[in-house]
Amino acid sequence: MIKVKNLQFKYQGSNKYALNNINVELPRGKYIAILGHNGSGKSTFSKLISGLYKPTKGEIYIDDIMIKKSSLREIRNKIGIIFQNPDNQFIGSTVEDDLAFGLENANIPQHEMKKIIKDLLKMVGMEKFIDREPNTLSGGQKQRVAIASVLALNPEIIIFDEVTSMLDPKGKEDVLQIIKNIQQTREKTLISITHDMDEAIMADYCLIFSHGKVIAYGNPKELLNNKKILEESKIDSPFIYKISSRLKNIEPTYDINELLEKIWK
Ligand SMILES: Nc1ncnc2c1ncn2[C@@H]1O[C@H](COP(=O)(O)OP(=O)(O)O)[C@@H](O)[C@H]1O
Ligand SMILES: [Mg+2]
């Protein structure tokens, strides 16, 4: 579980808080979508809970361990993060090296590595690219390798910070499918920062930021159906919901199949 208490954060040299008085508890093993306008504090929040930034004030606990200098190593083992920009996420000169680097750090014996790397690359559909240099891959392929590299470390919590936003539609679809697979097959806490309402609606919980504050937290279907919250956070309601709410004699729904059933009745 992630527990955040009275968290405040100010960037050096800035005179305003990027995050102001955040109090939230995110349960273990769930899929949590983080939404909010640009500059609302989503990335700053994700870097704080992964221990990349130090709180200006307040406390963050991961599984009851407070993030501080002496616990950083332990915390960093518990959380993996994948960033928006597919570049600059690689350490190795080939895809295989990149994954091996993480496994070496985790003290996995050499003779087990080959199979683990193969399995991980298979999982993200990149097994054919094992010998490629990361910088020769497409954006979507890079993100898939970045996900495999994070999975190699087997963290309890994985944060996806707008990982599809710089990808073309095909790359986006491939990466989203992998996130869905991880969600279904692994007992991990997944935190996905997204602008995609159709993705947010699939989450167990939704956390909404606006101007450095959490303005709502709860069931995505309830929150994304709340006009006041949508207006305050300047986010959009999901596409299927928008269509269905405009159709006569049809109850609004977020579910494409439900909508089709109602239309074809
Ligand atoms: N490196 C930085 N230095 C100074 N201010 C920053 C930096 N990164 C982000 N900010 C500011 O912090 C606020 C929150 O930004 P960010 O967490 O990146 O928002 P989001 O991810 O929701 O778009 C914004 O006002 C942004 O301008
Ligand atoms: Mg961001």
Side-chain angles (χ1 to χ4, degrees):
M1 179 163 88
I2 302 168
K3 193 157 57 178
V4 176
K5 274 171 80 177
N6 305 323
L7 175 66
Q8 298 196 334
F9 183 79
K10 209 187 251 182
Y11 282 96
Q12 220 162 24
S14 169
N15 55 9
K16 75 175 207 317
Y17 283 98
L19 289 175
N20 211 340
N21 203 28
I22 310 290
N23 285 284
V24 71
E25 287 184 13
L26 307 176
R28 181 191 264 271
K30 298 290 182 197
Y31 182 13
I32 298 144
I34 298 186
L35 307 173
H37 61 80
N38 279 333
S40 59
K42 305 178 300 293
S43 293
T44 307
F45 179 76
S46 68
K47 284 173 182 156
L48 278 153
I49 58 176
S50 1
L52 297 174
Y53 292 162
K54 185 179 167 212
T56 308
K57 260 191 202 151
E59 290 148 26
I60 302 167
Y61 298 85
I62 310 288
D63 296 339
D64 292 325
I65 303 163
M66 187 175 146
I67 305 186
K68 54 180 178 208
K69 204 169 184 181
S70 59
S71 65
L72 265 189
R73 181 177 273 268
E74 197 177 355
I75 297 292
R76 301 285 306 128
N77 284 333
K78 286 176 179 285
I79 304 192
I81 182 164
I82 298 132
F83 296 99
Q84 179 172 22
N85 190 336
D87 300 311
N88 316 324
Q89 301 202 57
F90 301 99
I91 308 157
S93 56
T94 65
V95 167
E96 182 173 25
D97 284 351
D98 199 72
L99 269 73
F101 184 83
L103 293 171
E104 265 161 32
N105 266 356
N107 295 320
I108 305 292
Q110 284 286 342
H111 64 274
E112 287 177 23
M113 265 191 213
K114 269 242 170 323
K115 178 165 167 25
I116 295 174
I117 290 173
K118 253 198 180 145
D119 288 348
L120 285 165
L121 288 177
K122 205 164 182 185
M123 194 165 167
V124 297
M126 288 295 290
E127 66 271 37
K128 287 194 192 115
F129 298 84
I130 187 161
D131 294 321
R132 285 278 288 271
E133 277 177 46
N135 62 20
T136 64
L137 302 174
S138 73
Q141 291 168 339
K142 284 177 185 164
Q143 289 303 58
R144 286 192 269 159
V145 174
I147 292 172
S149 293
V150 163
L151 288 173
L153 305 177
N154 201 24
E156 290 166 32
I157 301 164
I158 304 180
I159 303 175
F160 302 92
D161 187 351
E162 296 190 35
V163 294
T164 61
S165 68
M166 293 173 79
L167 306 182
D168 60 25
K170 170 78 169 76
K172 184 173 164 170
E173 197 178 299
D174 290 345
V175 170
L176 273 182
Q177 191 54 50
I178 289 159
I179 298 177
K180 273 188 200 153
N181 291 347
I182 301 170
Q183 182 209 356
Q184 280 161 6
T185 54
R186 295 196 167 227
E187 298 212 324
K188 294 195 181 292
T189 306
L190 299 187
I191 298 178
S192 180
I193 299 177
T194 181
H195 284 290
D196 183 346
M197 296 305 130
D198 296 310
E199 187 199 337
I201 212 73
M202 311 290 294
D204 299 309
Y205 295 94
C206 187
L207 179 64
I208 306 182
F209 281 83
S210 180
H211 299 289
K213 290 198 169 114
V214 169
I215 60 154
Y217 176 53
N219 179 305
K221 290 186 182 167
E222 275 166 30
L223 300 190
L224 297 174
N225 189 21
N226 183 321
K227 256 207 153 80
K228 196 172 156 274
I229 292 174
L230 294 178
E231 270 162 23
E232 190 180 351
S233 59
K234 300 185 199 76
I235 57 178
D236 246 352
S237 79
F239 183 62
I240 298 301
Y241 188 88
K242 269 194 200 159
I243 294 180
S244 61
S245 59
R246 279 188 199 156
L247 296 172
K248 269 194 191 135
N249 305 323
I250 284 185
E251 283 278 300
T253 175
Y254 293 97
D255 186 336
I256 177 82
N257 293 320
E258 209 178 301
L259 176 60
L260 288 173
E261 253 168 50
K262 284 175 177 166
I263 292 175
W264 286 97
K265 230 195 283 196

